[in-house]
Amino acid sequence: MRMLISFAALFLSVILMQLSTGGVAPLDALSGITLDFTTKEIGFLGSAHFLGFFIGCWWAPRLMGSVGHSRAFAAFTAAGAIGLLSHMLVVDPYAWAAMRVASGVCVAGCYTVIEAWLQAKVTNKTRGRAMGTYRVVDMGAQLVAQSLISVLEPASYVSYNILAIICCASLLPLTLTTVRQPDTPSAPRLRPRLAFDISPLATAAVVVAALSSATFRMVGPLYGEQVGLRLDQIAWFLSAFILGGALAQYPAGWLADKFDRRQVMIWLSVAAIACCVITALVDTMHPTGVMLTAFFLGFTAFPIYSVAAAHANDFATEEQRVELSAALMFYFALGAIAAPFTASALIERFGPQAMFYMIASAHGLLVLFSLLRMLARPTLHLRTRYVWSPRTSFTIGRLNKADREKDMAD
């Protein structure tokens, strides 16, 4: 309990940051519809967010090395707040894209600071509880953030101002905490080739995971609006996807530790394909049915990143694992940058069902590639434990490495 209290400021900052940055994506999509942005322009906003996310992942460790944790967190938060406040000053999709780059930098930078802080302060004895609480807090705040669009008016300065206030409020817990900030950690090198050399399948799987997650979270409101969902129903639609992903982590982890991880990825992808095809083929689905398909898509598609990361770590040495985490995040960012714009272009050309056909096609290719890789290389009997990778920053690789070192010592 004392450990949790000591990290309360960090966790409160996580909640406030997630409420702010998690709410801007669906609000931007609905505001774009209100302001008559084209479907591709709205998708471009989601791609811009992940471009900023990638920049933030790369830049944050270096900025921490220059100015320290608290100042770096303040700088990234300021970038996010400026991006939010600028929305209704310049109503232009390409200007908004630049603002979303700032929001993406803010998300990646702030999470890098928080994860580095946690890494430095936890011990092997408290690491499991600290990371478990961190994940629950993060996912819980994500769920609440999606519901904000049911009460925030699209294309309203007040709505963006509320999100900016919450973003600024995330500064207070971390900067006013009496806990001494840790020493600056060293940054991992980014070597994208490393992930492909260790596991081509894991590399492909994280790209597909990015395509599923980024498409649904950034373009999902467009689909919901075009099939006739109300604002509150769109909020539940997005929340159902995240809730499904959160609840899937334990059973997916159990299966990934017990069976061949490639088989687990195959069956998860097959189930995701079934969810997408059912949703796309049914012309008039009751809102409850739409929520259920979103839930099951999250349940099947969300864990693939973590299963892929565990599979890659089976073939990596201890010295490679931090840089492997960074390399996998690099490929996740590439997939997430491309996915929203591609999905929105397909929706504009073929209708809202095209979003689910695109996700299904990506998972179909992953199934085929997984089968080919099973013929090319056998699995290992001595494997690392499955670890839920929240996909927030490169720093999470260090935390996962520490967990594995503790398990090996035990």
Side-chain angles (χ1 to χ4, degrees):
M1 180 61 67
R2 182 177 300 175
M3 180 273 299
L4 295 179
I5 293 174
S6 67
F7 289 140
L10 294 181
F11 293 148
L12 183 54
S13 289
V14 169
I15 291 172
L16 294 171
M17 181 57 61
Q18 187 62 259
L19 289 176
S20 174
T21 57
V24 69
L27 181 60
D28 263 4
L30 296 174
S31 297
I33 294 170
T34 303
L35 296 169
D36 294 326
F37 291 177
T38 67
T39 303
K40 286 193 289 188
E41 287 170 343
I42 294 172
F44 185 60
L45 299 180
S47 295
H49 169 86
F50 284 104
L51 174 62
F53 177 85
F54 176 73
I55 294 171
C57 284
W58 175 83
W59 184 31
R62 291 156 179 79
L63 185 61
M64 277 194 296
S66 300
V67 302
H69 291 69
S70 295
R71 289 180 178 177
F73 187 88
F76 288 122
T77 303
I82 291 170
L84 289 167
L85 290 171
S86 301
H87 269 71
M88 298 313 296
L89 298 179
V90 183
V91 181
D92 177 82
Y94 299 103
W96 279 26
M99 299 167 197
R100 288 301 300 277
V101 170
S103 297
V105 170
C106 170
V107 172
C110 289
Y111 272 97
T112 298
V113 171
I114 290 169
E115 288 167 11
W117 199 311
L118 282 172
Q119 173 213 354
K121 294 298 182 180
V122 297
T123 63
N124 284 341
K125 184 177 180 181
T126 61
R127 191 178 307 279
R129 282 175 291 162
M131 287 307 299
T133 304
Y134 170 66
R135 291 162 181 164
V136 169
V137 165
D138 179 50
M139 293 300 296
Q142 281 191 51
L143 286 170
V144 176
Q146 306 309 307
S147 65
L148 288 178
I149 61 171
S150 63
V151 296
L152 295 178
E153 181 184 352
S156 166
Y157 178 76
V158 173
S159 297
Y160 285 101
N161 197 35
I162 289 172
L163 294 182
I165 290 172
I166 298 173
C167 183
C168 293
S170 68
L171 276 168
L172 300 177
L174 188 138
T175 54
L176 296 179
T177 180
T178 57
V179 178
R180 181 182 176 186
Q181 72 174 8
D183 296 330
T184 303
S186 59
R189 285 194 300 158
L190 178 58
R191 293 196 293 156
R193 180 65 185 268
L194 176 66
F196 189 83
D197 288 342
I198 290 175
S199 177
L201 175 58
T203 303
V206 298
V207 173
V208 173
L211 184 145
S212 302
S213 177
T215 296
F216 200 94
R217 294 178 63 186
M218 299 296 168
V219 187
L222 277 175
Y223 171 85
E225 190 271 340
Q226 292 194 17
V227 298
L229 297 181
R230 302 189 308 269
L231 281 182
D232 60 324
Q233 292 173 332
I234 293 175
W236 280 107
F237 176 64
L238 298 175
S239 298
F241 177 77
I242 295 174
L243 179 62
L247 295 179
Q249 296 302 325
Y250 180 81
W254 182 83
L255 291 171
D257 284 342
K258 189 173 180 62
F259 301 103
D260 188 333
R261 303 197 205 276
R262 296 170 297 186
Q263 293 181 3
V264 175
M265 279 192 283
I266 288 172
W267 286 110
L268 285 172
S269 286
V270 168
I273 292 169
C275 290
C276 290
V277 171
I278 291 172
T279 306
L281 289 179
V282 178
D283 292 331
T284 56
M285 184 179 293
H286 191 273
T288 302
V290 176
M291 307 304 168
L292 287 175
T293 56
F295 174 85
F296 285 112
L297 180 59
F299 194 90
T300 54
F302 225 90
I304 287 178
Y305 182 96
S306 296
V307 176
H311 177 69
N313 276 282
D314 290 340
F315 298 93
T317 65
E318 285 297 322
E319 292 73 22
Q320 291 175 319
R321 282 177 175 147
V322 173
E323 291 183 353
L324 174 60
S325 173
L328 291 175
M329 185 63 69
F330 170 82
Y331 287 106
F332 181 87
L334 289 184
I337 290 169
F341 181 77
T342 303
S344 62
L346 291 173
I347 289 175
E348 188 172 73
R349 177 69 175 82
F350 300 105
Q353 288 77 15
M355 181 182 83
F356 286 98
Y357 282 127
M358 186 187 87
I359 296 173
S361 299
H363 283 278
L365 292 174
L366 180 60
V367 169
L368 292 176
F369 191 50
S370 298
L371 292 172
L372 291 174
R373 292 303 302 170
M374 290 179 72
L375 296 174
R377 180 168 65 177
T379 191
L380 297 178
H381 295 291
L382 181 62
R383 301 183 293 176
T384 59
R385 283 184 57 191
Y386 174 93
V387 177
W388 177 15
S389 301
R391 298 170 304 187
T392 48
S393 75
F394 294 166
T395 308
I396 202 66
R398 297 194 189 93
L399 296 164
N400 292 343
K401 178 181 177 183
D403 282 335
R404 284 188 289 269
E405 288 174 344
K406 176 182 180 294
D407 294 335
M408 293 178 67
D410 292 343

mmCIF file of all heavy atoms in Angstrom, residues 8 52 116 125 192 261 321 361:
data_model
loop_
_atom_site.group_PDB
_atom_site.id
_atom_site.type_symbol
_atom_site.label_atom_id
_atom_site.label_comp_id
_atom_site.label_asym_id
_atom_site.label_seq_id
_atom_site.Cartn_x
_atom_site.Cartn_y
_atom_site.Cartn_z
ATOM 1 N N ALA A 8 1.168 7.495 -6.358
ATOM 2 C CA ALA A 8 -0.158 8.053 -6.630
ATOM 3 C C ALA A 8 -0.075 9.260 -7.552
ATOM 4 O O ALA A 8 -0.924 9.439 -8.439
ATOM 5 C CB ALA A 8 -0.838 8.434 -5.313
ATOM 6 N N GLY A 52 3.528 11.980 -34.822
ATOM 7 C CA GLY A 52 4.006 12.653 -33.610
ATOM 8 C C GLY A 52 4.382 11.669 -32.517
ATOM 9 O O GLY A 52 5.362 11.873 -31.791
ATOM 10 N N ALA A 116 9.880 5.745 -17.304
ATOM 11 C CA ALA A 116 11.260 5.825 -16.828
ATOM 12 C C ALA A 116 11.301 6.081 -15.320
ATOM 13 O O ALA A 116 12.137 5.536 -14.597
ATOM 14 C CB ALA A 116 12.002 6.930 -17.581
ATOM 15 N N LYS A 125 10.799 -6.635 -5.891
ATOM 16 C CA LYS A 125 9.727 -7.051 -4.996
ATOM 17 C C LYS A 125 8.416 -6.333 -5.309
ATOM 18 O O LYS A 125 7.326 -6.895 -5.136
ATOM 19 C CB LYS A 125 10.138 -6.779 -3.543
ATOM 20 C CG LYS A 125 9.133 -7.265 -2.515
ATOM 21 C CD LYS A 125 9.645 -7.018 -1.104
ATOM 22 C CE LYS A 125 8.639 -7.503 -0.061
ATOM 23 N NZ LYS A 125 9.124 -7.249 1.322
ATOM 24 N N PRO A 192 15.932 -0.762 -36.313
ATOM 25 C CA PRO A 192 14.762 -1.457 -36.861
ATOM 26 C C PRO A 192 15.080 -2.812 -37.452
ATOM 27 O O PRO A 192 14.260 -3.741 -37.383
ATOM 28 C CB PRO A 192 14.259 -0.483 -37.942
ATOM 29 C CG PRO A 192 14.777 0.855 -37.523
ATOM 30 C CD PRO A 192 16.097 0.589 -36.875
ATOM 31 N N ARG A 261 3.140 -19.910 -29.758
ATOM 32 C CA ARG A 261 2.639 -18.535 -29.860
ATOM 33 C C ARG A 261 2.143 -18.237 -31.278
ATOM 34 O O ARG A 261 1.211 -17.438 -31.467
ATOM 35 C CB ARG A 261 3.732 -17.549 -29.473
ATOM 36 C CG ARG A 261 4.315 -17.750 -28.070
ATOM 37 C CD ARG A 261 5.052 -16.505 -27.632
ATOM 38 N NE ARG A 261 6.077 -16.744 -26.636
ATOM 39 C CZ ARG A 261 5.852 -16.831 -25.320
ATOM 40 N NH1 ARG A 261 4.632 -16.749 -24.864
ATOM 41 N NH2 ARG A 261 6.856 -17.024 -24.478
ATOM 42 N N ARG A 321 17.088 -7.234 -25.743
ATOM 43 C CA ARG A 321 15.662 -7.083 -25.520
ATOM 44 C C ARG A 321 15.182 -5.638 -25.432
ATOM 45 O O ARG A 321 14.081 -5.324 -25.868
ATOM 46 C CB ARG A 321 15.251 -7.878 -24.278
ATOM 47 C CG ARG A 321 15.141 -9.356 -24.608
ATOM 48 C CD ARG A 321 14.802 -10.221 -23.438
ATOM 49 N NE ARG A 321 14.609 -11.590 -23.912
ATOM 50 C CZ ARG A 321 14.908 -12.663 -23.206
ATOM 51 N NH1 ARG A 321 15.422 -12.532 -21.997
ATOM 52 N NH2 ARG A 321 14.702 -13.865 -23.700
ATOM 53 N N SER A 361 -8.397 -8.206 -44.180
ATOM 54 C CA SER A 361 -7.371 -8.563 -45.161
ATOM 55 C C SER A 361 -5.986 -8.600 -44.525
ATOM 56 O O SER A 361 -5.181 -9.501 -44.813
ATOM 57 C CB SER A 361 -7.387 -7.551 -46.316
ATOM 58 O OG SER A 361 -8.631 -7.560 -46.981
#
